Amino acid sequence: AQANYLLIMDSDGQSDPREILKFWDARKGGDIVAGFRIKRKDFLYRKFFSDFAKFVYRLFFNVNLKDPSFAFTLIKKKVYRSLLNFKPSMPDGFFWEYNARALNKGYKISEIGILHKKRKHGNTKIFYIYQLPKIAIINLLGLIKIKIDLMRKS
C-alpha cells in the first residue's frame, strides 16, 4: 500500500461511510483508531455473546477496549506492516486478535463512537443462534492459542 493509513470498514451497511472522516480527524490520537458501536443494533443473543467474549478477552489480555470486535478501524501503515506475520486463530473474530497483538507490541489504540444501524438487507452469515456454541468453543480455543503465542514472544 502506498498510503500511510489503512481503513477497514465492514460492508454490511450497519455503519455509515460518512463517519470515515471521524477516523481521519482522530488519527493523531493513536496508532490505531478503533470504532465502537453506539447503541448496537444486533440481536440480543449476539450482544450477549460479545459481552461474554469481551469478559474473557479482558481476563486474558488486560485490554479495556469498548468494542474489540468491531470492523471499522484506521491503522497506521507501520502498524499493519508489523502485524502481517500471523495466521489468525479466530477466523470469525479477527479484530479481537489484531487488537490484542497490536497492544502486545506496544501500539496505542484510541477509540471513537460510531452510530450502528440495523441491517436493511440480508442477514448475518456466521452468527446464527444455533451456531453460537460451536463459535464460542472455536473462539475460546483461539483466545487460548493467542495468549500462549503472545506469552512465548514476551
Side-chain angles (χ1 to χ4, degrees):
Q2 298 297 317
N4 290 324
Y5 293 89
L6 171 67
L7 178 81
I8 299 171
M9 178 181 177
D10 229 343
S11 62
D12 61 6
Q14 290 186 279
S15 300
D16 188 338
R18 292 177 289 192
E19 299 217 64
I20 290 170
L21 293 176
K22 284 185 179 181
F23 289 87
W24 188 250
D25 292 342
R27 72 188 180 280
K28 294 184 178 162
D31 300 302
I32 296 174
V33 180
F36 65 88
R37 292 169 272 211
I38 297 174
K39 296 182 181 176
R40 184 175 177 178
K41 303 291 184 194
D42 279 322
F43 291 111
L44 186 59
Y45 69 85
R46 285 200 62 184
K47 291 187 227 179
F48 174 78
F49 175 78
S50 287
D51 287 344
F52 178 74
K54 189 168 33 174
F55 172 77
V56 173
Y57 186 73
R58 285 181 175 165
L59 285 176
F60 278 24
F61 304 107
N62 197 27
V63 172
N64 198 25
L65 295 174
K66 293 177 180 146
D67 196 355
S69 68
F70 192 34
F72 200 173
T73 187
L74 183 72
I75 307 166
K76 287 183 179 177
K77 179 191 261 185
K78 70 173 185 173
V79 177
Y80 69 78
R81 283 215 167 136
S82 74
L83 292 168
L84 291 174
N85 63 346
F86 73 92
K87 180 181 175 213
S89 297
M90 296 176 64
D92 297 327
F94 176 81
F95 282 96
W96 295 96
E97 181 167 2
Y98 196 87
N99 291 327
R101 290 183 181 278
L103 288 166
N104 184 262
K105 284 192 167 208
Y107 292 119
K108 182 180 180 211
I109 300 178
S110 63
E111 296 181 281
I112 58 172
I114 299 298
L115 293 175
H116 192 243
K117 302 183 290 187
K118 186 175 176 161
R119 281 180 195 258
K120 288 183 181 178
H121 306 288
N123 292 311
T124 182
K125 301 293 185 230
I126 58 171
F127 284 107
Y128 293 113
I129 195 164
Y130 68 89
Q131 293 175 313
L132 283 181
K134 179 181 175 186
I135 291 169
I137 290 168
I138 290 169
N139 285 332
L140 179 60
L141 293 173
L143 288 171
I144 292 168
K145 286 179 192 174
I146 297 161
K147 179 69 175 173
I148 292 168
D149 186 46
L150 293 177
M151 286 173 32
R152 275 193 225 142
K153 292 180 179 178
S154 293

